[in-house]
Short mmCIF file of all heavy atoms in Angstrom, two decimals:
data_model
loop_
_atom_site.label_atom_id
_atom_site.label_comp_id
_atom_site.label_asym_id
_atom_site.label_seq_id
_atom_site.Cartn_x
_atom_site.Cartn_y
_atom_site.Cartn_z
N LYS S 148 120.97 0.81 -104.24
CA LYS S 148 122.29 0.29 -103.91
C LYS S 148 123.41 1.25 -104.29
O LYS S 148 124.45 1.27 -103.65
CB LYS S 148 122.51 -1.05 -104.62
CG LYS S 148 121.61 -2.17 -104.09
CD LYS S 148 121.90 -3.48 -104.80
CE LYS S 148 121.01 -4.59 -104.25
NZ LYS S 148 121.26 -5.88 -104.95
N ASP S 149 123.18 1.99 -105.34
CA ASP S 149 124.21 2.95 -105.74
C ASP S 149 124.46 3.96 -104.64
O ASP S 149 125.60 4.32 -104.33
CB ASP S 149 123.80 3.66 -107.04
CG ASP S 149 123.90 2.73 -108.24
OD1 ASP S 149 124.47 1.64 -108.08
OD2 ASP S 149 123.39 3.11 -109.31
N VAL S 150 123.37 4.45 -104.04
CA VAL S 150 123.52 5.43 -102.96
C VAL S 150 124.21 4.79 -101.77
O VAL S 150 125.11 5.38 -101.15
CB VAL S 150 122.15 5.99 -102.56
CG1 VAL S 150 122.29 6.94 -101.39
CG2 VAL S 150 121.52 6.71 -103.75
N GLU S 151 123.81 3.54 -101.43
CA GLU S 151 124.43 2.85 -100.31
C GLU S 151 125.91 2.59 -100.58
O GLU S 151 126.75 2.69 -99.67
CB GLU S 151 123.69 1.53 -100.04
CG GLU S 151 122.27 1.71 -99.53
CD GLU S 151 122.24 2.44 -98.19
OE1 GLU S 151 123.19 2.25 -97.39
OE2 GLU S 151 121.28 3.19 -97.95
N THR S 152 126.22 2.23 -101.83
CA THR S 152 127.62 1.99 -102.17
C THR S 152 128.46 3.25 -102.00
O THR S 152 129.57 3.21 -101.48
CB THR S 152 127.74 1.48 -103.62
OG1 THR S 152 126.95 0.30 -103.75
CG2 THR S 152 129.19 1.17 -103.96
N ARG S 153 127.90 4.38 -102.43
CA ARG S 153 128.62 5.64 -102.25
C ARG S 153 128.83 5.96 -100.78
O ARG S 153 129.88 6.44 -100.36
CB ARG S 153 127.85 6.77 -102.94
CG ARG S 153 127.85 6.68 -104.46
CD ARG S 153 127.02 7.77 -105.09
NE ARG S 153 126.97 7.66 -106.54
CZ ARG S 153 126.26 8.46 -107.32
NH1 ARG S 153 125.51 9.42 -106.79
NH2 ARG S 153 126.27 8.29 -108.63
N LYS S 154 127.80 5.69 -99.97
CA LYS S 154 127.94 5.94 -98.53
C LYS S 154 129.02 5.04 -97.92
O LYS S 154 129.82 5.47 -97.09
CB LYS S 154 126.61 5.70 -97.82
CG LYS S 154 125.56 6.77 -98.12
CD LYS S 154 124.29 6.49 -97.35
CE LYS S 154 123.23 7.56 -97.62
NZ LYS S 154 121.97 7.30 -96.88
N GLN S 155 129.05 3.77 -98.36
CA GLN S 155 130.05 2.85 -97.85
C GLN S 155 131.45 3.27 -98.25
O GLN S 155 132.40 3.20 -97.46
CB GLN S 155 129.77 1.43 -98.36
CG GLN S 155 128.51 0.80 -97.76
CD GLN S 155 128.23 -0.56 -98.33
OE1 GLN S 155 129.00 -1.07 -99.16
NE2 GLN S 155 127.13 -1.17 -97.90
N ILE S 156 131.57 3.72 -99.51
CA ILE S 156 132.89 4.18 -99.97
C ILE S 156 133.34 5.40 -99.16
O ILE S 156 134.51 5.51 -98.74
CB ILE S 156 132.85 4.51 -101.47
CG1 ILE S 156 132.64 3.21 -102.28
CG2 ILE S 156 134.11 5.22 -101.91
CD1 ILE S 156 132.44 3.45 -103.76
N ALA S 157 132.41 6.32 -98.91
CA ALA S 157 132.76 7.51 -98.11
C ALA S 157 133.17 7.10 -96.69
O ALA S 157 134.13 7.64 -96.13
CB ALA S 157 131.57 8.47 -98.06
N GLY S 158 132.42 6.11 -96.11
CA GLY S 158 132.79 5.64 -94.77
C GLY S 158 134.15 4.99 -94.74
O GLY S 158 134.94 5.20 -93.82
N LEU S 159 134.45 4.19 -95.80
CA LEU S 159 135.76 3.55 -95.87
C LEU S 159 136.88 4.58 -96.01
O LEU S 159 137.96 4.42 -95.44
CB LEU S 159 135.79 2.57 -97.04
CG LEU S 159 134.95 1.29 -96.87
CD1 LEU S 159 134.97 0.49 -98.16
CD2 LEU S 159 135.48 0.45 -95.72
N GLN S 160 136.63 5.64 -96.77
CA GLN S 160 137.63 6.68 -96.92
C GLN S 160 137.91 7.36 -95.59
O GLN S 160 139.06 7.64 -95.23
CB GLN S 160 137.17 7.70 -97.96
CG GLN S 160 137.20 7.17 -99.38
CD GLN S 160 136.66 8.17 -100.38
OE1 GLN S 160 136.05 9.18 -100.01
NE2 GLN S 160 136.85 7.91 -101.66
N LYS S 161 136.82 7.63 -94.81
CA LYS S 161 137.02 8.25 -93.49
C LYS S 161 137.79 7.32 -92.56
O LYS S 161 138.68 7.73 -91.83
CB LYS S 161 135.66 8.61 -92.89
CG LYS S 161 134.95 9.76 -93.60
CD LYS S 161 133.63 10.06 -92.92
CE LYS S 161 132.91 11.21 -93.63
NZ LYS S 161 131.60 11.51 -92.98
N ARG S 162 137.41 6.01 -92.60
CA ARG S 162 138.12 5.06 -91.75
C ARG S 162 139.58 4.96 -92.14
O ARG S 162 140.47 4.86 -91.28
CB ARG S 162 137.46 3.69 -91.85
CG ARG S 162 136.07 3.62 -91.23
CD ARG S 162 135.45 2.25 -91.42
NE ARG S 162 134.08 2.21 -90.95
CZ ARG S 162 133.28 1.15 -91.08
NH1 ARG S 162 133.73 0.05 -91.66
NH2 ARG S 162 132.05 1.20 -90.61
N SER S 163 139.84 4.95 -93.44
CA SER S 163 141.22 4.87 -93.90
C SER S 163 142.02 6.07 -93.45
O SER S 163 143.16 5.94 -93.00
CB SER S 163 141.26 4.76 -95.43
OG SER S 163 142.57 4.75 -95.90
N SER S 164 141.42 7.25 -93.54
CA SER S 164 142.11 8.46 -93.09
C SER S 164 142.36 8.41 -91.59
O SER S 164 143.44 8.74 -91.10
CB SER S 164 141.29 9.71 -93.44
OG SER S 164 141.90 10.87 -92.96
#
Side-chain angles (χ1 to χ4, degrees):
K148 292 182 180 179
D149 288 349
V150 177
E151 293 298 327
T152 303
R153 291 177 182 177
K154 289 182 179 179
Q155 291 177 2
I156 292 174
L159 289 174
Q160 289 176 348
K161 290 181 180 179
R162 291 178 186 176
S163 177
S164 177

